[in-house]
Amino acid sequence: MTRRNTMLIVAVAAVAAVAAYWMLVLSPKRQEAAKLATQITTKQGQLAAAQGELAGNEKARSAYRANYSLVARLGKAVPADDDVRSLMIQVNSAADRSKVDFRSIAVGGSGGAAPAATKGAAATKPPPPGAAAVGTAGFAAEPFTFTFKGSYFNLSSFVRRLDRFVAVRDRQLDVTGRLLLVNTISLAPDTTVGFPKISAHIGATSYLLPEAQGLLAGASPAGPGTAPAAGAATTGAPAPTTTPGTTTPAAPTTTTATISGAP
Amino acid sequence: MRAVNLLTPELRTTSKVAGAPAVVDGRGGFGAYVLLGALALCVAALGGYVLSGNVVKQRTAKLAEVSASMDATVKKATALKPFVDFQALAQARAGTVQALASARFDWEQSLRDLSRAIPSNVYLASLDGSVGGASAAAGGGASSGARGAITSPAIELKGCTRSQPAVADLMSRLRNVQGVTRVALSKSDKEAPLTVSGGPGSAAGGSINPCGKGSPPSFDLVAFFEGATVDAALATATGDKGSATGAAPATATAQAKGAASTAAATPTPAATTQGATTP
């Protein structure tokens, strides 16, 4: 074997050793390092997202008292159950102040074609008698029919008072009573005493919270419930809303709810 | 004198060219270089391996740290999730209530505007208003066909006046009421005069025509408020198009219409007080 051949063999061996080292030792390490770098980048992205979510959640926790107060106040406008006695007192109070005679109230009606399919959370429990669940919001609509007697302008004023139970001003809700949507008004001269007494039949819709959520959705002043418990909220919560007017109907308290982020 | 080669026999064959330098240790020097090169390669390889290993260890540790941090963050966020759910619930309720409240038709304003618009020679037997939707589409009980044609808030007026031009004048006045986009006449009929019993100025049990002697026409017309899209707003608010007002108005309208149709016709305050007591 000549010296030149020897050198050639040594060079080839050296190159082979370097290649083997690269392929078998160093390259896997580098691949592992690159893979780890990718994983770190991914995790850092996830961490950033989680931190953002955490920040939002902490903001929600800091706003819990305000949200709790808002939900409790909204319970006056949209109660958890039909709460007809409160409604009667509120309507009677408005009628008295408008000098209108509150003659009758009828819940629901035989001609009401309730939607057959209940949706959302309201589907778990049937709404109160006379109510029909509507919409994906889960509110149950309960129709009422009222009869009043009074003068034309007093009746007009009375309708305004009904609307003012829940008023919207500059994205703020002023809640003093039940949310009522007057759908029909029928005025005719009173059959007994005649003009100027007017007999008014008013058809209105009130809305109820989904039974599955309850008034406060299982929340308490200490913190929100882990899961909406039907019925638990209405019994365990401090009753801020469902009894407005039952004891002091003449002076309903005004609550203002500021809407943030509402559409 | 004979030349003597003083070199050892091993060296004598290596350099036969005259003047060429003699190689002192050729084979031993090459081997040393190879050995040195091999050692250098080994050191470099080892260095590369160690550095790569360090990078891997470092990144593994960092990944573990980031993972632990993320797990802790996710755990905290999960623990606070009920607060977020409750906030979403509160905002959803507030938004829905606001949407429902904003979707209401302003009956009070419309009634006041009507009282201003109706002339003094018009007598109303009934006034029926509905916001539309299913009740309007279904004809609204005793309401006319004109009311059911358009599912917008509308007020249907039934009464009488002194002449056919007076009916036209009434329609013209109603058209000028704020929010009224269309006034549809169902009928204006002299063949079916309006008679009332027990009205002011009449004897008990008597029957009179409040629009005077002769054959004054009785009318039935509808003023539509097509700009007030109550039904669509309610459908948006409840997320359920078509059923938002479907249940309530049907019943209420049926009862109200029935009562209105049986009521005796006497002059309404709109007719007698317009122009004098408009607030």
Side-chain angles (χ1 to χ4, degrees):
Chain A
M1 185 179 292
T2 63
R3 188 182 176 198
R4 181 182 166 192
N5 289 342
T6 306
M7 289 179 65
L8 197 59
I9 289 170
V10 168
V12 168
V15 169
V18 168
Y21 166 75
W22 180 265
M23 287 188 293
L24 298 177
V25 178
L26 202 56
S27 184
K29 282 282 182 188
R30 287 169 57 86
Q31 285 179 358
E32 189 180 354
K35 191 178 173 183
L36 285 171
T38 305
Q39 288 179 351
I40 288 171
T41 305
T42 305
K43 284 282 183 186
Q44 282 176 335
Q46 292 174 352
L47 175 62
Q51 285 173 337
E53 185 183 354
L54 177 62
N57 292 5
E58 284 179 342
K59 194 179 288 183
R61 181 175 63 177
S62 63
Y64 175 71
R65 292 180 69 83
N67 289 328
Y68 183 84
S69 173
L70 172 63
V71 168
R73 286 169 181 169
L74 286 177
K76 185 182 285 185
V78 184
D81 56 14
D82 52 359
D83 201 9
V84 178
R85 53 198 179 117
S86 172
L87 176 66
M88 289 177 69
I89 289 178
Q90 290 174 23
V91 171
N92 190 62
S93 173
D96 284 347
R97 276 187 274 171
S98 301
K99 297 181 174 60
V100 168
D101 186 12
F102 179 19
R103 303 292 295 180
S104 69
I105 176 174
V107 181
S110 57
T118 55
K119 297 182 180 179
T124 57
K125 198 173 176 182
V134 294
T136 54
F139 284 4
E142 186 170 28
F144 287 93
T145 305
F146 304 96
T147 305
F148 303 93
K149 285 185 179 179
S151 73
Y152 181 86
F153 291 107
N154 286 347
L155 286 168
S156 176
S157 172
F158 169 71
V159 173
R160 188 185 71 231
R161 288 184 190 276
L162 286 184
D163 279 352
R164 283 186 178 176
F165 283 165
V166 177
V168 181
R169 296 186 192 90
D170 297 331
R171 290 175 53 82
Q172 282 194 337
L173 281 172
D174 290 337
V175 180
T176 56
R178 184 78 73 90
L179 173 65
L180 284 174
L181 271 71
V182 177
N183 297 311
T184 59
I185 290 180
S186 182
L187 302 181
D190 184 38
T191 54
T192 55
V193 296
F195 182 80
K197 202 85 165 179
I198 300 289
S199 177
H201 298 264
I202 294 178
T205 304
S206 72
Y207 290 89
L208 313 177
L209 292 174
E211 285 287 342
Q213 290 181 3
L215 178 61
L216 296 167
S220 67
T226 54
T234 55
T235 56
T241 59
T242 54
T243 57
T246 52
T247 54
T248 57
T253 57
T254 300
T255 57
T256 301
T258 304
I259 303 168
S260 58
Chain B
M1 188 174 185
R2 182 173 170 248
V4 177
N5 191 353
L6 298 177
L7 293 172
T8 59
E10 293 84 11
L11 294 175
R12 285 178 190 170
T13 57
T14 57
S15 178
K16 293 183 177 176
V17 181
V23 177
V24 176
D25 194 2
R27 287 184 181 175
F30 176 71
Y33 288 139
V34 169
L35 186 61
L36 284 175
L39 285 174
L41 280 178
C42 285
V43 168
L46 189 63
Y49 181 78
V50 169
L51 286 177
S52 298
N54 286 345
V55 168
V56 168
K57 282 181 185 174
Q58 193 178 0
R59 290 183 180 176
T60 303
K62 189 172 183 181
L63 178 63
E65 180 188 350
V66 172
S67 295
S69 178
M70 195 194 75
D71 289 344
T73 305
V74 168
K75 195 175 178 182
K76 282 184 186 174
T78 305
L80 297 178
K81 187 76 165 45
F83 291 96
V84 179
D85 294 339
F86 190 78
Q87 186 177 38
L89 174 81
Q91 289 182 350
R93 283 187 187 176
T96 304
V97 170
Q98 186 197 26
L100 287 170
S102 302
R104 291 176 297 195
F105 183 70
D106 193 350
W107 288 109
E108 190 260 344
Q109 184 66 42
S110 300
L111 292 177
R112 287 187 182 275
D113 289 345
L114 280 180
S115 71
R116 292 190 184 100
I118 295 177
S120 58
N121 59 354
V122 170
Y123 293 84
L124 293 183
S126 68
L127 183 153
D128 299 314
S130 62
V131 296
S135 60
S143 66
S144 64
R147 173 64 190 100
I150 298 174
T151 58
S152 293
I155 295 177
E156 183 174 10
L157 303 173
K158 291 178 182 174
C160 66
T161 185
R162 298 189 187 282
S163 63
Q164 298 288 17
V167 176
D169 180 52
L170 171 63
M171 293 179 66
S172 177
R173 282 170 165 260
L174 288 177
R175 181 63 184 82
N176 290 329
V177 169
Q178 184 180 6
V180 172
T181 55
R182 187 193 305 255
V183 179
L185 179 68
S186 294
K187 68 162 191 172
S188 177
D189 190 1
K190 284 187 175 181
E191 299 297 324
L194 188 68
T195 57
V196 299
S197 59
S202 68
S207 178
I208 63 164
N209 186 334
C211 297
K213 296 178 180 177
S215 56
S218 62
F219 62 83
D220 181 355
L221 52 84
V222 185
F224 290 98
F225 297 78
E226 293 172 276
T229 54
V230 177
D231 197 38
L234 287 177
T236 304
T238 60
D240 188 19
K241 192 168 183 60
S243 63
T245 59
T251 306
T253 304
Q255 296 177 357
K257 302 292 179 185
S261 61
T262 57
T266 50
T268 65
T272 56
T273 62
Q274 68 86 27
T277 59
T278 49

